[in-house]
């Protein structure tokens, strides 16, 4: 019998009893960025992983989905599972049409393996450039992967730090697939929203028709969650960034919880509060419907009613 690996030191577990959001999500809302971790006993973590999380399996994800009033999930392969997509695929299958997946694959993946992932509900691959999460991101390998997934109509999800965008954007612009960026390209929210870093990101988004997840205020925020009990307006320093993206690109924004919130160090967000962040970043019913329903449905469930 194999022994289970202990969690990374100081690992923060996901929030066990999230509050009920005050904001009622529109029917058909898609949580377009979340993960599953294991459970480790069933789906061991990858040997090359950079962290060992707590378990956060599909049943717990579906419980959160129902608690928040979410209709569907897009489950993004987490780096702790490397290129073994079995936990993610198992979760997508178990959701019975209410989830799609984003995989991590190696350049030698075969057409048959890609078709099997597609049949299971996978609609894209993730390219990760965050150095604390992956050893290397060789561009030739990623080009090969992008060429292989393009005929399936898949897209590539990009995760990078904002300071690395100038070096990466030429490569991104040449990829033959739609691009989706995680967490607004991780802006430094202490810089002005109309400063050079975020303006460069917005130009990149505009020039390449990029989709943007206005997710992870808890990861980007410097001011953090509300100090006062009962106050439900959290992460206010991230609001101008997300609001600007929603206003400039209303038809290409997506939202997600990022549950079970890997690698947070200061606090674990109350997922109910993350939902209550939404009306601050998407201020009209129309913006919210696009962000939460119409955009993710078009990308992940095209042609289906919502
Ligand atoms: C996120 C963010 C992180 C981790 C991962 O796959 C992952 O391990 O995505 C992070 O540590 O910033 O989107 O969940």
């Amino acid at each position: 019998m194999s022994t289970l690996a202990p969690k990374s030191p100081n690992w923060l577990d996901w929030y066990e009893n999230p509050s009920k959001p005050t904001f009622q999500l529109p029917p058909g809302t898609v949580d377009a960025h979340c993960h599953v971790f294991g459970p480790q006993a069933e789906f061991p973590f990858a040997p090359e992983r950079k962290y060992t999380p707590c378990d956060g399996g599909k049943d717990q994800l579906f419980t959160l989905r129902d608690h928040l009033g979410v209709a569907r999930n897009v489950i993004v392969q987490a780096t702790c599972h490397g290129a073994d997509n079995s936990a993610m695929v198992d979760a997508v299958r178990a959701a019975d049409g209410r989830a799609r997946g984003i995989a991590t694959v190696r350049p030698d993946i075969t057409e048959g393996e890609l078709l099997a992932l597609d049949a299971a509900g996978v609609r894209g691959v993730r390219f990760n450039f965050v150095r604390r999460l992956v050893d290397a991101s060789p561009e030739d390998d990623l080009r090969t992967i992008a060429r292989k997934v393009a005929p399936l109509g898949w897209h590539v999800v990009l995760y990078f730090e904002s300071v690395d965008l100038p070096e990466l954007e030429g490569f991104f612009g040449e990829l033959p697939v739609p691009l989706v960026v995680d967490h607004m390209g991780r802006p430094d929210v202490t810089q002005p929203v109309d400063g050079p870093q975020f303006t460069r990101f917005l130009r990149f988004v505009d020039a390449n028709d990029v989709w943007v997840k206005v997710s992870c205020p808890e990861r980007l925020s410097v001011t953090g969650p509300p100090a006062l009990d009962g106050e439900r307006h959290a992460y206010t320093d991230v609001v101008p960034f997300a609001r600007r993206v929603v206003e400039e690109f209303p038809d290409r924004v997506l939202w997600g919880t990022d549950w079970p919130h890997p690698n947070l160090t200061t606090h674990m967000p109350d997922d109910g509060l993350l939902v209550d962040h939404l009306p601050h970043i998407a201020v009209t019913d129309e913006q919210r419907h696009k962000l939460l329903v119409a955009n993710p449905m078009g990308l992940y469930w095209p042609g289906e009613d919502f």
Side-chain angles (χ1 to χ4, degrees):
M1 204 180 89
S2 64
T3 48
L4 299 181
K7 290 186 279 189
S8 298
N10 305 317
W11 183 264
L12 296 183
D13 292 358
W14 45 275
Y15 209 87
E16 226 172 297
N17 293 303
S19 60
K20 199 80 186 159
T22 309
F23 173 64
Q24 197 177 348
L25 289 168
T29 287
V30 179
D31 173 352
H33 188 98
C34 55
H35 311 282
V36 286
F37 297 156
Q40 188 184 168
E42 195 180 347
F43 300 105
F45 298 121
E48 72 273 21
R49 68 190 179 280
K50 301 295 181 209
Y51 61 89
T52 305
C54 59
D55 281 340
K58 60 178 184 287
D59 296 335
Q60 293 151 328
L61 175 65
F62 300 156
T63 300
L64 178 74
R65 174 195 68 192
D66 297 344
H67 172 79
L68 296 179
V70 163
R72 295 175 172 85
N73 296 100
V74 180
I75 307 175
V76 178
Q77 173 75 353
T79 57
C80 55
H81 281 295
D84 175 356
N85 293 290
S86 36
M88 179 273 290
V89 165
D90 173 70
V92 171
R93 283 215 175 97
D96 206 13
R98 294 176 65 191
R100 297 289 191 234
I102 298 295
T104 296
V105 302
R106 300 212 170 92
D108 61 355
I109 190 157
T110 65
E111 191 186 354
E113 288 166 332
L114 285 174
L115 288 171
L117 287 171
D118 189 73
V122 171
R123 295 293 181 266
V125 285
R126 194 183 197 201
F127 292 174
N128 201 320
F129 300 85
V130 176
R131 283 177 259 263
R132 68 187 158 75
L133 293 172
V134 286
D135 286 324
S137 316
E139 292 188 356
D140 284 347
D141 287 357
L142 301 180
R143 266 189 214 101
T144 301
I145 294 169
R147 255 198 322 270
K148 286 186 176 186
V149 306
L152 294 164
W154 287 13
H155 57 265
V156 167
V157 173
L158 301 169
Y159 192 28
F160 59 87
E161 303 277 2
S162 55
V163 290
D164 295 327
L165 180 61
E167 193 188 313
L168 291 168
E169 65 183 328
F171 168 67
F172 292 163
E174 287 169 7
L175 292 171
V177 283
L179 305 176
V180 178
V181 170
D182 283 341
H183 319 331
M184 298 187 280
R186 293 187 60 102
D188 172 355
V189 300
T190 65
Q191 294 191 17
V193 68
D194 54 358
Q197 189 187 77
F198 203 55
T199 301
R200 180 166 194 148
F201 173 69
L202 296 174
R203 274 209 314 264
F204 161 70
V205 169
D206 191 31
N208 297 280
D209 293 334
V210 173
W211 294 75
V212 183
K213 292 181 198 163
V214 289
S215 44
C216 270
E218 73 287 1
R219 205 175 277 289
L220 303 174
S221 178
V222 175
T223 54
L228 300 172
D229 282 350
E231 170 61 72
R232 299 198 59 83
H233 186 184
Y235 313 118
T236 49
D237 52 345
V238 186
V239 167
F241 292 81
R243 195 184 283 187
R244 184 155 178 211
V245 180
V246 170
E247 278 167 5
E248 292 195 19
F249 307 102
D251 298 312
R252 290 203 310 272
V253 282
L254 304 166
W255 169 82
T257 57
D258 196 33
W259 188 91
H261 310 289
N263 300 313
L264 291 180
T265 53
T266 58
H267 73 288
M268 185 51 55
D270 167 355
D271 298 279
L273 273 186
L274 293 179
V275 170
D276 280 348
H277 184 72
L278 279 164
H280 299 284
I281 66 172
V283 297
T284 67
D285 283 343
E286 189 188 358
Q287 284 178 351
R288 292 193 279 264
H289 189 260
K290 287 182 172 184
L291 170 66
L292 299 169
V293 186
N295 296 349
M297 287 301 291
L299 190 58
Y300 290 101
W301 284 270
E304 284 194 30
D305 286 341
F306 41 84

